[in-house]
């Protein structure tokens, strides 16, 4: 099967050439070359490279450099600024950039953006015009994300990280799956698929994180495997799991059939982004 990680972040060291906006609890660097090495070690064929908002905000130039160096391995997604009056031009230019597969909206409470912000609607409409899916990060703000999805039934949305707030450091919160009922209800919207990314960070048990499978089974039942996109969310998940630990539980669990595993770990992602890595 073709394995596609639906969410990775790579970045270079913090230098004056391309300074970071924030300094998170991530490694000093996980370059594109280093990301490919990590993927090769565990048999991941390709990945959706989400330009790291934490470091680079709306500048995806590093992601473009990495894709140019590894054109068969990465599809690119960049965050789009709802306040940019030229955002349609930004999306149009992104569409013409080699390797691009989507755009992203940051709709966390931390962003302090009203659910009915007109800039969000402009991004959703631009995505339709330029035939991009919209990744939406609303993991502590699911009601606002749901409202946006409902306002734009013609837009293809990809819900980041299960729609559930995930820790940057261990341990997992006392009730990591508290928002699960809202996530299950969202499955009724036909214009959205869900990233099963970062799930291992919600585990309250050590590797291989056996306690994630019962709540994930409820997500698989509600959404269907064709709408579930496995991913690691590495390097955001770095302080909780290493890359191999975020991959192997899904490869080795007996809770998935071979057909389900192939769809979860690559088929659904290829369908949602209309992209697959080129194999030699």
């Amino acid at each position: 099967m073709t394995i596609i990680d639906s969410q990775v972040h790579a970045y270079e060291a913090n230098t004056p050439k391309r300074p970071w906006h924030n300094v998170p609890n991530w490694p000093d660097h996980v370059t594109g070359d280093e990301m490919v090495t990590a993927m090769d070690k565990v048999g991941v064929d390709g990945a959706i490279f989400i330009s790291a908002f934490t470091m680079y905000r709306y500048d995806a130039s590093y992601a473009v450099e990495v894709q140019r160096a590894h054109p068969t391995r990465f599809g690119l997604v960049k965050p789009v600024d709802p306040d940019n009056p030229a955002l349609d031009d930004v999306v149009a230019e992104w569409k013409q950039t080699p390797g691009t597969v989507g755009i992203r909206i940051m709709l966390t409470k931390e962003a302090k953006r009203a659910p009915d912000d007109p800039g969000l609607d402009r991004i959703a409409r631009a995505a339709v015009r330029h035939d991009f899916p919209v990744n939406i990060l609303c993991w502590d703000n699911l009601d606002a994300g749901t409202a946006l999805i409902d306002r734009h039934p013609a837009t293809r949305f990809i819900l980041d990280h299960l729609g559930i707030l995930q820790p940057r450091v261990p341990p997992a919160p006392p009730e990591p799956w508290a928002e699960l009922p809202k996530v299950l209800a969202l499955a009724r919207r036909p214009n959205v698929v869900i990233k099963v990314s970062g799930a291992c960070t919600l585990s309250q048990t050590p590797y291989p994180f056996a306690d994630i499978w019962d709540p994930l089974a409820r997500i698989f039942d509600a959404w269907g495997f064709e709408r579930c996109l496995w991913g690691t969310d590495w390097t955001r998940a770095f302080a909780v799991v290493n890359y191999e630990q975020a991959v192997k539980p899904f490869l080795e669990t007996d809770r998935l059939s071979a057909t389900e595993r192939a769809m979860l770990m690559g088929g659904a992602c290829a369908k949602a982004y209309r992209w697959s890595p080129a194999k030699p």
Side-chain angles (χ1 to χ4, degrees):
M1 65 181 181
T2 299
I3 301 178
I4 307 173
D5 190 335
S6 70
Q7 179 125 353
V8 303
H9 305 287
Y11 52 91
E12 61 185 356
N14 189 8
T15 67
K17 170 195 168 191
R18 190 180 276 117
W20 296 359
H21 185 272
N22 286 315
V23 180
N25 64 325
W26 300 6
D28 290 341
H29 53 81
V30 176
T31 64
D33 291 347
E34 290 168 330
M35 192 72 242
V36 168
T37 298
M39 291 160 58
D40 286 346
K41 183 179 178 182
V42 289
V44 173
D45 299 296
I48 305 301
F49 182 155
I50 314 291
S51 181
F53 185 76
T54 298
M55 283 94 160
Y56 299 138
R57 284 312 193 248
Y58 301 107
D59 175 14
S61 58
Y62 182 67
V64 171
E65 285 185 13
V66 170
Q67 197 279 338
R68 193 175 297 134
H70 302 280
T72 66
R73 304 300 296 275
F74 295 110
L76 304 183
V77 172
K78 70 171 286 180
V80 176
D81 183 0
D83 297 324
N84 187 341
L87 73 80
D88 193 75
D89 293 336
V90 169
V91 177
E93 182 179 355
W94 187 241
K95 185 70 177 183
Q96 298 305 313
T97 303
T100 59
V101 298
I103 56 177
R104 194 182 198 200
I105 285 175
M106 313 300 290
L107 190 53
T108 60
K109 287 180 180 174
E110 182 184 12
K112 295 182 171 61
R113 191 167 295 278
D116 59 352
D117 186 306
L120 302 174
D121 296 316
R122 291 169 56 218
I123 293 174
R125 290 192 295 267
V128 174
R129 282 193 296 274
H130 298 289
D131 194 24
F132 270 146
V134 177
N135 286 242
I136 179 169
L137 180 63
C138 56
W139 58 6
D140 57 349
N141 204 18
L142 202 54
D143 291 342
T146 301
L148 179 63
I149 290 165
D150 286 345
R151 288 201 304 273
H152 295 277
T155 302
R156 294 183 289 135
F157 287 95
I158 299 174
L159 180 68
D160 286 339
H161 308 328
L162 296 161
I164 294 174
L165 185 63
Q166 298 175 5
R168 288 183 179 269
V169 295
E175 298 291 337
W177 301 92
E179 293 283 274
L180 184 57
K182 289 184 179 181
V183 175
L184 301 179
L186 188 54
R188 293 194 293 267
R189 279 72 173 181
N191 62 322
V192 59
V193 301
I194 187 169
K195 282 190 179 180
V196 183
S197 50
C200 297
T201 68
L202 295 172
S203 177
Q204 295 177 316
T205 62
Y207 176 85
F209 318 120
D211 62 341
I212 67 174
W213 293 104
D214 284 348
L216 286 184
R218 296 180 65 190
I219 289 172
F220 299 151
D221 287 345
W223 288 79
F225 281 97
E226 289 196 351
R227 297 170 64 207
C228 292
L229 288 58
W230 164 81
T232 62
D233 195 22
W234 218 72
T235 53
R236 194 274 309 170
F238 152 78
V240 185
V241 295
N242 64 39
Y243 192 66
E244 186 173 7
Q245 290 172 334
V247 177
K248 282 201 168 182
F250 289 85
L251 287 174
E252 296 176 353
T253 182
D254 61 4
R255 297 286 293 264
L256 299 170
S257 70
T259 302
E260 291 166 347
R261 196 186 325 271
M263 182 58 66
L264 177 66
M265 297 192 73
C269 189
K271 178 181 175 184
Y273 285 106
R274 300 173 184 170
W275 175 87
S276 291
K279 289 193 173 184

